[in-house]
Amino acid sequence: MPFHTLRRLGVRISSAVRCLFAQVESPEARYRNFNGRYFSGFYEQERMLADKPRMEFYRAAIQRHIQPGDRVVDLGTGTGILAALASRRGAAKVYAIDHSSILETARTLATANGIERVEFVSTHSTEFRLPERVDVILHEQMGDCLFDEAMVANVSDLRDRLLKPGGLILPSLFEFFCEPIKIRNERHVPFIWELAVHGYDYSVLERQRPQDPDYYQVRSSDLALVEHFLGEPAPVLTLDLHTVNEAALPHALTFTRTVVNAGRLDGYAVYFRTHVDTDLSLGSGPLDPGRAPHWGFRVLRTDRDDFAAGDVIEVQLTVGRWSELDTWRWKHVKHARADDPALSATA
Amino acid sequence: MPFHTLRRLGVRISSAVRCLFAQVESPEARYRNFNGRYFSGFYEQERMLADKPRMEFYRAAIQRHIQPGDRVVDLGTGTGILAALASRRGAAKVYAIDHSSILETARTLATANGIERVEFVSTHSTEFRLPERVDVILHEQMGDCLFDEAMVANVSDLRDRLLKPGGLILPSLFEFFCEPIKIRNERHVPFIWELAVHGYDYSVLERQRPQDPDYYQVRSSDLALVEHFLGEPAPVLTLDLHTVNEAALPHALTFTRTVVNAGRLDGYAVYFRTHVDTDLSLGSGPLDPGRAPHWGFRVLRTDRDDFAAGDVIEVQLTVGRWSELDTWRWKHVKHARADDPALSATA
């Protein structure tokens, strides 16, 4: 039995955070404290910097959409590379803000690289003030589940207070995916009550279904986990950070997939894609060619169910707060093709 | 930037453990407390139970090597499946011990499955006493890095106190591997000071090399991470739990690999294989066909270095305590084939 597993990362992080910051009440403050420590380490930064699709996406986005003379806020600058690229592109001024101690590293690197016109500000973005508005908000606040780094709250707050009318958020257009998948048989882990191992039957445990929401999610970066999507993938939510507010996000989504790959449904892969141009986008989907490798993805697990080609999976996702994965709930309804004249007629 | 990554699991676990058990001093007690909580959850048990090579290995090992009438201790029984298989094989008595709360689940399952002659004992193995010795110690105490679940200390303690002379430990024969690897280019993450990203140079950070040993290790279950071994894999340590004691484990290993796959060395993949018969073994190596999928593996990272075919990598691994990964240190010496007449002569 392995000491370290992918799965319980979330639990362990929450345990550490709950413990370290037991005196702090709000989820925002808790995440902010966690985040400030998490991104202060070199390894997290290395993974983001070594992610070539990610870095090429940002290089091209900055080259195409930041104009010489622009005033820019780089929200969560990390090691400062996006601020540096904006400066080299000709930005008149870049405010590179971060509340993690990594900001000292960013200062060191900017000096070593001869970067000018970047002001490093050690603060959380919600505390950042300026006497006049800026032309561009630059950010990389996307979490594995798009929303889990408080992107919508943080970017829309800066936008409303500090972005000029008509100013640019880079990136702003997002597609959120929640695709029914089958996991490869050798990697599939059923719920414990679905197991029978060499004649030892676990079904008696169904009555002990855990209440911990985390139990129903698998975190992974292992692309080999996913065998296929059951249907044709399509975004179930799209948003533009120029206009969206957290309060405007829906709390319930219902969507359907017509099954093209028959067989077992193991859960839903959660991932995102962001677009800045028709030919410039960045995706974290497990089956995306050229996906940005440092993002993981989440699988929302389902009870054992099997589908035939032409069946329709109707998925209902409800969300308390998008940034808090523990508030997500999901279930599905199976519409068997043969059983449903309406579906048969349109198939 | 992803909220959840594979890499920092260890740090987060240690943080949680340090925090939750700050009053506890010894590493043994710390691990024991962590372990008692970690394996109490269903998901960890599910992953082990759904690991078909693991379960088939144990089923066959029990069938072949436990005799009707044997008295057995199952060390760390978890959900009790190995104890149940031993009972069904005809063991006269099985003591199924575990110090995690999962033991209540094991009792429930045994009752539901009509398992007899198993006595469940809620205790840590080091506290377990019996008036007479047993024929077999059955266990699955292998961690991702073989030693990281205190296998040697726990099994040898039980052996010395409770196993009959000539009694059987199942499994007992282990090979430990530490193979030089190349990671696939798209997944390779250099040290931060080795990076230059779109003209932004990070070399100034070399002087800030982190002191945290954890920074120099990557945890993964993603087999696609490893492109190849640089040399031919071979165990660097073998042990038999019938005879080994923790004190007898070496604190320094030096081994060499002649490079057959030229190119970059990214680190060393740490994994194990255990054998109970010439045709029955279980392995966790990233390139093993039929590997047990629920075990991850560790990569011990190295600074940038490149090798030509025929070069010899001399690896020096020193270990304070095998069960504590933070005490492991490693470095290598490159013997270039052309530069070394002795190596050329034997190549």
Side-chain angles (χ1 to χ4, degrees):
Chain A
M1 36 186 161
F3 184 104
H4 297 290
T5 70
L6 309 185
R7 176 56 180 55
R8 303 309 280 183
L9 179 56
V11 175
R12 296 302 142 190
I13 290 176
S14 347
S15 298
V17 171
R18 267 198 294 274
C19 182
L20 289 167
F21 305 106
Q23 73 283 12
V24 176
E25 289 307 307
S26 77
E28 293 83 355
R30 210 161 54 204
Y31 175 70
R32 193 182 300 182
N33 281 319
F34 162 74
N35 170 296
R37 288 164 189 249
Y38 187 70
F39 290 108
S40 67
F42 279 172
Y43 190 76
E44 288 63 39
Q45 302 294 339
E46 286 164 1
R47 293 180 69 241
M48 295 188 278
L49 292 162
D51 184 333
K52 289 187 174 61
R54 174 187 186 270
M55 293 313 305
E56 176 53 26
F57 170 82
Y58 275 98
R59 188 204 60 76
I62 288 167
Q63 199 62 28
R64 295 182 192 183
H65 293 283
I66 290 187
Q67 304 302 323
D70 275 353
R71 288 159 45 83
V72 177
V73 175
D74 178 19
L75 195 181
T77 195
T79 63
I81 188 162
L82 301 187
L85 295 177
S87 169
R88 286 186 173 164
R89 170 69 185 133
K93 177 85 179 202
V94 183
Y95 298 95
I97 63 179
D98 207 296
H99 73 120
S100 155
S101 62
I102 197 72
L103 200 72
E104 284 310 307
T105 301
R107 284 197 176 99
T108 301
L109 287 165
T111 303
N113 280 274
I115 299 297
E116 297 176 336
R117 302 185 307 283
V118 176
E119 182 174 330
F120 292 97
V121 187
S122 175
T123 189
H124 193 271
S125 65
T126 52
E127 313 291 330
F128 182 61
R129 306 279 179 269
L130 274 181
E132 52 179 339
R133 293 187 174 231
V134 299
D135 303 286
V136 181
I137 294 172
L138 181 60
H139 73 95
E140 198 274 72
Q141 296 273 294
M142 297 91 87
D144 289 351
C145 301
L146 185 56
F147 301 96
D148 46 325
E149 293 185 16
M151 177 181 79
V152 174
N154 289 341
V155 174
S156 64
D157 164 68
L158 266 191
R159 173 198 69 202
D160 293 345
R161 294 189 295 106
L162 292 180
L163 189 64
K164 282 182 185 166
L168 179 69
I169 297 172
L170 205 60
S172 72
L173 296 172
F174 290 91
E175 295 174 326
F176 171 77
F177 294 83
C178 184
E179 287 304 326
I181 61 166
K182 177 176 187 286
I183 288 175
R184 286 185 199 280
N185 285 338
E186 69 274 20
R187 299 296 301 276
H188 176 233
V189 177
F191 290 122
I192 200 166
W193 53 86
E194 295 173 338
L195 284 165
V197 184
H198 296 307
Y200 204 58
D201 184 279
Y202 284 79
S203 58
V204 68
L205 298 181
E206 177 153 17
R207 68 180 78 137
Q208 294 179 32
R209 280 174 177 262
Q211 297 305 302
D212 176 9
D214 187 79
Y215 171 72
Y216 298 91
Q217 302 173 19
V218 176
R219 290 158 192 80
S220 185
S221 294
D222 183 355
L223 305 181
L225 207 65
V226 179
E227 183 165 306
H228 56 231
F229 298 140
L230 271 70
E232 293 293 341
V236 296
L237 190 65
T238 60
L239 56 143
D240 184 344
L241 290 178
H242 288 112
T243 51
V244 77
N245 284 308
E246 206 176 5
L249 291 171
H251 290 279
L253 291 174
T254 298
F255 57 95
T256 60
R257 291 286 178 274
T258 301
V259 172
V260 293
N261 292 305
R264 196 178 62 229
L265 168 71
D266 291 325
Y268 307 94
V270 171
Y271 60 95
F272 69 90
R273 178 164 284 278
T274 177
H275 300 264
V276 300
D277 273 322
T278 49
D279 64 344
L280 183 60
S281 71
L282 183 71
S284 70
L287 302 183
D288 283 5
R291 80 185 289 277
H294 97 281
W295 271 284
F297 57 92
R298 193 77 48 116
V299 175
L300 312 178
R301 305 168 84 193
T302 57
D303 280 45
R304 171 91 206 189
D305 207 351
D306 290 270
F307 288 84
D311 286 352
V312 171
I313 311 172
E314 179 185 310
V315 184
Q316 300 161 2
L317 176 66
T318 64
V319 169
R321 294 191 61 182
W322 283 92
S323 57
E324 291 173 51
L325 292 157
D326 279 0
T327 71
W328 297 23
R329 299 289 183 275
W330 54 96
K331 62 179 179 179
H332 72 265
V333 180
K334 181 197 282 191
H335 299 283
R337 188 181 183 192
D339 298 348
D340 189 330
L343 289 168
S344 295
T346 60
Chain B
M1 39 186 161
F3 185 103
H4 296 291
T5 70
L6 310 184
R7 176 55 179 57
R8 304 308 280 182
L9 177 54
V11 175
R12 295 302 143 193
I13 291 175
S14 344
S15 299
V17 171
R18 267 197 293 275
C19 181
L20 289 168
F21 305 105
Q23 72 284 12
V24 176
E25 288 305 310
S26 77
E28 293 84 355
R30 209 161 56 206
Y31 174 70
R32 194 182 300 182
N33 281 320
F34 162 74
N35 170 297
R37 287 163 189 249
Y38 187 70
F39 290 109
S40 67
F42 279 173
Y43 190 76
E44 287 64 39
Q45 302 293 340
E46 286 164 1
R47 293 180 69 241
M48 295 188 278
L49 293 162
D51 183 334
K52 288 187 175 60
R54 174 186 185 270
M55 293 313 306
E56 176 53 25
F57 169 83
Y58 275 97
R59 188 204 59 74
I62 288 167
Q63 199 61 30
R64 293 182 194 184
H65 294 283
I66 291 186
Q67 305 302 323
D70 275 352
R71 289 160 43 84
V72 177
V73 175
D74 178 18
L75 195 180
T77 195
T79 64
I81 188 163
L82 301 187
L85 295 177
S87 168
R88 286 186 173 163
R89 170 68 186 133
K93 176 85 179 206
V94 183
Y95 299 95
I97 63 180
D98 207 296
H99 72 120
S100 156
S101 62
I102 196 72
L103 199 71
E104 284 310 308
T105 301
R107 283 197 177 100
T108 302
L109 287 165
T111 303
N113 281 274
I115 298 297
E116 298 177 335
R117 303 186 307 282
V118 175
E119 181 173 331
F120 292 98
V121 187
S122 176
T123 189
H124 193 271
S125 66
T126 52
E127 313 291 330
F128 181 61
R129 305 280 178 269
L130 274 181
E132 50 179 340
R133 293 185 175 231
V134 299
D135 302 288
V136 181
I137 294 171
L138 181 61
H139 74 95
E140 198 275 70
Q141 295 272 294
M142 297 91 86
D144 289 351
C145 301
L146 184 56
F147 301 96
D148 46 325
E149 292 185 17
M151 176 181 78
V152 175
N154 289 341
V155 174
S156 63
D157 164 68
L158 266 193
R159 173 197 69 200
D160 293 346
R161 294 188 297 105
L162 292 180
L163 189 65
K164 282 182 186 167
L168 179 68
I169 297 171
L170 206 60
S172 72
L173 295 172
F174 290 91
E175 294 175 326
F176 172 77
F177 293 83
C178 185
E179 287 303 325
I181 61 166
K182 177 175 187 287
I183 288 174
R184 286 185 200 281
N185 285 337
E186 69 274 19
R187 300 296 300 277
H188 176 233
V189 177
F191 290 120
I192 200 167
W193 52 87
E194 295 172 337
L195 285 165
V197 185
H198 296 307
Y200 204 60
D201 184 280
Y202 284 78
S203 58
V204 68
L205 298 181
E206 178 152 17
R207 68 179 78 138
Q208 292 180 31
R209 281 175 177 260
Q211 297 304 302
D212 176 9
D214 188 78
Y215 172 72
Y216 298 92
Q217 302 172 20
V218 176
R219 290 159 193 79
S220 185
S221 295
D222 183 355
L223 304 181
L225 208 64
V226 178
E227 183 165 307
H228 57 230
F229 297 139
L230 272 71
E232 293 293 340
V236 297
L237 189 65
T238 60
L239 57 142
D240 183 343
L241 290 178
H242 289 109
T243 52
V244 78
N245 283 307
E246 206 176 7
L249 291 171
H251 290 278
L253 290 175
T254 298
F255 58 95
T256 60
R257 291 287 178 274
T258 301
V259 172
V260 293
N261 292 305
R264 196 178 63 228
L265 169 71
D266 290 325
Y268 307 95
V270 171
Y271 60 95
F272 69 88
R273 179 164 283 278
T274 178
H275 300 265
V276 301
D277 274 322
T278 50
D279 64 343
L280 182 60
S281 71
L282 184 71
S284 69
L287 302 183
D288 282 6
R291 79 184 290 278
H294 97 281
W295 271 283
F297 56 92
R298 192 77 48 113
V299 175
L300 312 178
R301 305 168 82 192
T302 56
D303 281 46
R304 170 92 206 189
D305 206 352
D306 290 271
F307 288 84
D311 287 352
V312 171
I313 311 172
E314 179 185 311
V315 184
Q316 298 161 4
L317 177 66
T318 64
V319 168
R321 292 190 61 181
W322 284 91
S323 56
E324 291 174 50
L325 292 156
D326 279 0
T327 71
W328 297 22
R329 299 291 183 275
W330 55 95
K331 62 179 181 179
H332 71 265
V333 180
K334 180 198 283 190
H335 299 284
R337 190 183 183 191
D339 298 348
D340 189 329
L343 290 169
S344 296
T346 60

